């Protein structure tokens, strides 16, 4: 049900039950006059002069809530034709923050009039992503509200009623031009280097001419009468003063020949009948404001405040798109990003609190948000900065919560059979410094458990270790293994390892890098990695506990040592190291 009674500034006209205000008939449009109307927090000055010329000036009184009599009501209106782009998510976020900071309402409306492209799956994905981000809506699908329905496809009757009222009052007229005629008009305008606007062929048609075409069943559109001269000026809350000349527009379509309303007509009617006070949207919608403002005036609706947010740009300053990598909220969720990190980062793409602070919770942003501090310049999407910020939010999580998430990640990835326990805890402590995104933990543990021994020795850096007496260290290591000395030390954990390796170094008269590098290569198969003692203890425990799944291809420590007995060191010495590409 549409809640019309609460719409300030909308009167009832033309003798119908519709909450449609008085609309000037064509004869009065020719009469010189001056009107100034306050609509919420917008002031529109309209001056009429002969031959359908006038100017509109909309002045917005800053970052206000439009007066105490009008509660702030904002909306996010996605089209369910694909995924929720990060740009759309940021628009939703700014609307949410503005509403919460003003004690207002955040409305979600689904613009699904593109029946061919709109899908239920896309709508569900958008709702899921918004919920995951924590942007709870006060009215909309799944919640309800007094201003529904909240899907455009369910509001067609409303659009048709308003279109008919505009037709009756002369603000729109039927146009029977064929597609061929319209194309010809564009070609002629192009040849004359004029804007490709409709010439108004049917604007002055008589009732007889119209009825004749209707009787023949000729398809027709509804076109809005646009003054041939004049201008529109708004004071955008982000971009400042913006103006357009009306002579670049032409009479535009509000209803298609198939009876479906066009986007700008739907949006205006929806925003007005839902009592939207502030329209915060992407700057690509800025040109739509001209048509929408004319419709607002014709229907007598109060003009909302407008705020057009800059686009999110790729590093090359082009519009962010799929070719630049992940661009949807769903993709980042699957990649292991935290919702609070996504929200924090998106807010900083165009907004700041006036300090150097970068780390905010959603609640803190609500407290600090002001539309005055939204920048009109395009913001660069930096995936490296996003990873860093996600890492900061990970570190801010309670340890138990983070440990649980990482344990579940390791099990769901098929690396471990369990998601909790001492092995998970110790592995997390060893690897947490390299985790910026939850899914990083998967690669780090896989790397820890891997044993690329032969590949390492085939590298140029591995060749240096080989030539530094690696076979001799291997021989002594295997002796310690065969005697049970090494495994006995590992049973005692890291303290046992530290005691053993100190004695082992003394027996070989090696210390520092000359001791630890060959041991790391022999036991982990790698030249670099996290703390060696903790790594080897975990590798040993992984082999004895059976916590690692078979499909990982994990080589337990004892098997690694047994394989060292089969190494032909002389053959290794003759192999040319792999060529390392320069960068």
């Amino acid at each position: 049900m549409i809640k019309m009674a609460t719409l300030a500034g909308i009167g009832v006209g033309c003798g119908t039950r519709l909450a449609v205000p008085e609309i000037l008939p064509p004869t009065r449009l020719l009469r010189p006059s001056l009107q100034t109307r306050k609509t919420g927090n917008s002031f529109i000055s309209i001056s009429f002069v002969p031959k359908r010329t006038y100017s509109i000036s909309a002045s917005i009184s800053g970052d206000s809530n439009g007066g105490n009599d009008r509660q702030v009501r904002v909306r996010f209106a996605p089209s369910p034709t694909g995924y929720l782009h990060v740009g759309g998510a940021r628009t939703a976020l700014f609307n949410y923050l503005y509403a919460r900071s003003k004690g207002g309402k955040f409305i979600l409306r689904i613009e699904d009039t593109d029946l061919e492209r709109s899908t239920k799956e896309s709508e569900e994905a958008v709702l899921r992503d918004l919920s995951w981000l924590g942007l709870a809506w006060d009215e909309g699908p799944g919640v309800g509200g007094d201003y529904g329905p909240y899907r455009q496809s369910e509001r067609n009757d409303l659009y048709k009623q308003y279109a008919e009222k505009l037709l009756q009052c002369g603000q729109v007229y039927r146009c029977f031009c064929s597609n061929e005629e319209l194309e010809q008009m564009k070609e002629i305008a192009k040849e004359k280097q004029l804007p490709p606007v409709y010439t108004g062929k049917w604007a002055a048609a008589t009732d007889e001419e119209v009825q004749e075409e209707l009787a023949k069943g000729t398809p027709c559109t509804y076109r809005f009468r646009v003054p041939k001269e004049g201008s529109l000026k708004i004071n955008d809350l982000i971009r400042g003063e913006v103006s357009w000349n009306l002579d670049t527009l032409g009479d535009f379509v509000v209803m298609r020949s198939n009876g479906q309303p066009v986007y700008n007509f739907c949006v205006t009617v929806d925003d007005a009948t839902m009592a939207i006070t502030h329209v915060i949207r992407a700057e690509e919608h800025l040109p739509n404001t001209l048509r929408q403002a004319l419709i607002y005036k014709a229907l007598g609706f109060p003009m909302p405040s407008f705020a057009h947010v800059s686009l999110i740009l790729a590093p090359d300053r082009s519009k962010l798109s799929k070719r630049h990598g992940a661009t949807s909220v769903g993709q980042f969720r699957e990649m292991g990003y935290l919702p609070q990190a996504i929200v924090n980062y998106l807010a900083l793409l165009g907004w700041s609190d006036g300090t150097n602070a970068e780390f905010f919770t959603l609640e803190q942003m609500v407290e600090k948000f002001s539309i005055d501090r939204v920048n009109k310049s395009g913001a660069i999407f930096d995936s490296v900065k996003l990873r860093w910020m996600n890492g900061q939010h990970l570190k801010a999580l309670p340890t138990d919560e983070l440990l649980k998430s990482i344990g579940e990640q390791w099990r769901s990835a098929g690396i471990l059979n369990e998601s909790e326990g001492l092995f998970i805890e110790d592995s997390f402590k060893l690897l947490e410094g390299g985790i910026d995104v939850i899914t990083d933990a998967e690669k780090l543990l896989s790397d820890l458990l891997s044993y690329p021994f032969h590949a390492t020795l085939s590298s140029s850096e591995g060749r240096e270790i080989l030539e530094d007496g690696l076979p001799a260290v291997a021989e002594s290591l295997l002796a310690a293994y065969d005697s049970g000395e090494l495994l006995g030390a590992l049973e005692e954990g890291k303290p046992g390892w530290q005691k053993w390796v100190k004695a082992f170094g003394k027996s070989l008269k090696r210390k520092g890098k000359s001791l630890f590098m060959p041991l790391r290569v022999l036991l982990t198969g790698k030249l670099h990695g996290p703390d060696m003692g903790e790594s080897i203890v975990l590798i040993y425990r992984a082999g004895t506990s059976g916590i690692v799944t078979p499909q990982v291809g994990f080589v337990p420590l004892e098997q690694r040592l047994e394989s060292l007995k089969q190494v032909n060191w002389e053959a290794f010495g003759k192999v040319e190291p792999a060529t390392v590409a320069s960068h």
Side-chain angles (χ1 to χ4, degrees), residues 53 101 119 121 130 172 179 185 232 247 267 273 279 286 322 349 378 420 433 437 468 494 503 545 582:
T53 68
S101 69
T119 67
E121 292 75 19
L130 289 173
V172 305
N179 290 333
M185 290 179 195
L232 167 72
D247 60 4
V267 168
T273 56
V279 174
L286 187 59
K322 292 179 181 178
L349 293 179
E420 56 185 26
V437 180
D468 189 31
K494 189 175 181 180
S545 66
S582 61

Side-chain angles (χ1 to χ4, degrees), residues 3-72:
K3 186 175 181 180
M4 303 301 299
T6 61
L7 295 180
I10 299 182
V12 178
C14 298
T16 73
R17 297 180 182 177
L18 281 174
V20 180
E22 179 184 1
I23 302 174
L24 297 175
T27 53
R28 288 185 58 192
L29 284 175
L30 301 178
R31 189 177 305 163
S33 66
L34 175 66
Q35 297 182 6
T36 301
R37 178 187 299 142
K38 181 179 180 182
T39 57
N41 59 338
S42 304
F43 292 85
I44 307 176
S45 296
I46 308 165
S47 58
F48 295 96
V49 296
K51 297 184 181 179
R52 295 170 58 214
T53 68
Y54 60 86
S55 66
I56 305 174
S57 176
S59 177
I60 316 296
S61 55
D63 183 7
S64 69
N65 64 359
N68 295 328
D69 58 331
R70 295 190 75 198
Q71 180 188 46
V72 165

Side-chain angles (χ1 to χ4, degrees), residues 268-550:
T268 306
V269 171
D270 287 342
D271 286 343
T273 56
M274 290 182 179
I276 301 302
T277 61
H278 295 74
V279 174
I280 304 172
R281 59 189 180 186
E283 68 172 309
E284 59 193 0
H285 289 287
L286 187 59
N288 293 326
T289 310
L290 175 53
R291 290 175 173 82
Q292 292 166 15
L294 292 171
I295 297 170
Y296 275 113
K297 189 201 77 68
L299 290 173
F301 289 140
M303 278 271 286
S305 300
F306 289 99
H308 289 90
V309 183
S310 64
L311 296 177
I312 295 180
L313 306 176
D316 61 2
R317 302 199 70 82
S318 63
K319 185 176 179 181
L320 187 67
S321 63
K322 292 179 181 178
R323 66 186 177 89
H324 298 110
T327 58
S328 75
V329 172
Q331 285 175 300
F332 286 109
R333 183 181 66 249
E334 292 170 2
M335 290 164 64
Y337 283 81
L338 297 173
Q340 56 267 45
I342 297 290
V343 164
N344 189 168
Y345 182 67
L346 290 179
L348 297 180
L349 293 179
W351 170 84
S352 75
D353 70 339
T355 71
N356 292 325
E358 293 187 302
F359 188 92
F360 298 99
T361 64
L362 188 58
E363 292 73 22
Q364 290 169 334
M365 284 187 281
V366 167
E367 181 182 341
K368 296 175 179 293
F369 186 79
S370 168
I371 202 73
D372 293 335
R373 296 209 60 83
V374 175
N375 198 312
K376 65 180 179 181
S377 301
I380 304 295
F381 190 91
D382 184 345
S383 57
V384 175
K385 179 70 174 287
L386 174 58
R387 279 187 63 88
W388 171 83
M389 182 160 286
N390 197 81
Q392 299 304 303
H393 279 274
L394 274 178
K395 292 176 177 63
L397 290 176
T399 302
D400 290 347
E401 182 181 340
L402 179 55
L403 186 59
K404 180 181 178 182
S405 297
I406 288 177
E408 290 174 350
Q409 179 69 31
W410 282 336
R411 186 174 65 174
S412 65
I415 301 174
L416 303 181
N417 293 314
E418 302 172 11
S419 61
E420 56 185 26
L422 186 60
F423 182 84
I424 282 86
E425 293 174 14
D426 289 344
S427 297
F428 167 68
K429 290 175 184 176
L430 176 63
L431 303 173
E432 64 176 323
I435 302 174
D436 284 327
V437 180
I438 287 290
T439 48
D440 289 345
E442 181 181 334
K443 183 179 186 303
L444 290 170
L445 184 58
S446 296
D447 287 347
L448 176 69
L449 297 174
S450 67
Y451 189 57
F453 177 74
H454 289 82
T456 297
L457 285 189
S458 298
S459 68
S460 58
E461 195 176 357
R463 183 65 173 268
E464 294 177 12
I465 304 297
L466 183 63
E467 294 173 351
D468 189 31
L470 185 64
V473 177
E475 184 179 352
S476 298
L477 179 65
L478 289 172
Y481 164 62
D482 288 337
S483 69
E485 181 184 313
L486 174 60
L487 298 185
L490 291 174
E491 282 290 337
E492 298 176 16
K494 189 175 181 180
W497 161 264
Q498 290 174 327
K499 182 179 179 182
W500 175 83
V501 79
K502 185 177 181 180
F504 184 70
K506 283 185 178 180
S507 69
L508 296 178
K509 296 182 180 180
R510 285 174 175 257
K511 62 180 180 179
K513 184 177 179 181
S514 67
L515 171 64
F516 295 115
M517 283 297 284
L519 280 178
R520 182 182 288 277
V521 170
L522 293 168
L523 295 174
T524 73
K526 294 178 280 290
L527 292 164
H528 310 284
D531 182 88
M532 186 174 70
E534 293 180 11
S535 297
I536 292 170
V537 169
L538 279 171
I539 290 168
Y540 173 69
R541 284 167 50 194
T544 58
S545 66
I547 194 171
V548 182
T549 61

Side-chain angles (χ1 to χ4, degrees), residues 158-204:
L158 182 69
Y159 307 137
K160 290 175 182 177
Q161 291 177 61
Y162 278 110
E164 288 299 324
K165 185 49 56 182
L166 288 177
L167 179 68
Q168 293 172 20
C169 297
Q171 190 61 66
V172 305
Y173 60 88
R174 291 186 177 92
C175 171
F176 297 91
C177 287
S178 65
N179 290 333
E180 291 75 17
E181 288 178 290
L182 295 175
E183 285 299 320
Q184 187 177 12
M185 290 179 195
K186 290 181 181 178
E187 288 299 322
I188 294 173
K190 185 178 180 181
E191 291 174 3
K192 295 181 179 180
Q193 296 183 334
L194 296 173
V197 298
Y198 178 68
T199 59
K201 176 180 178 180
W202 284 91

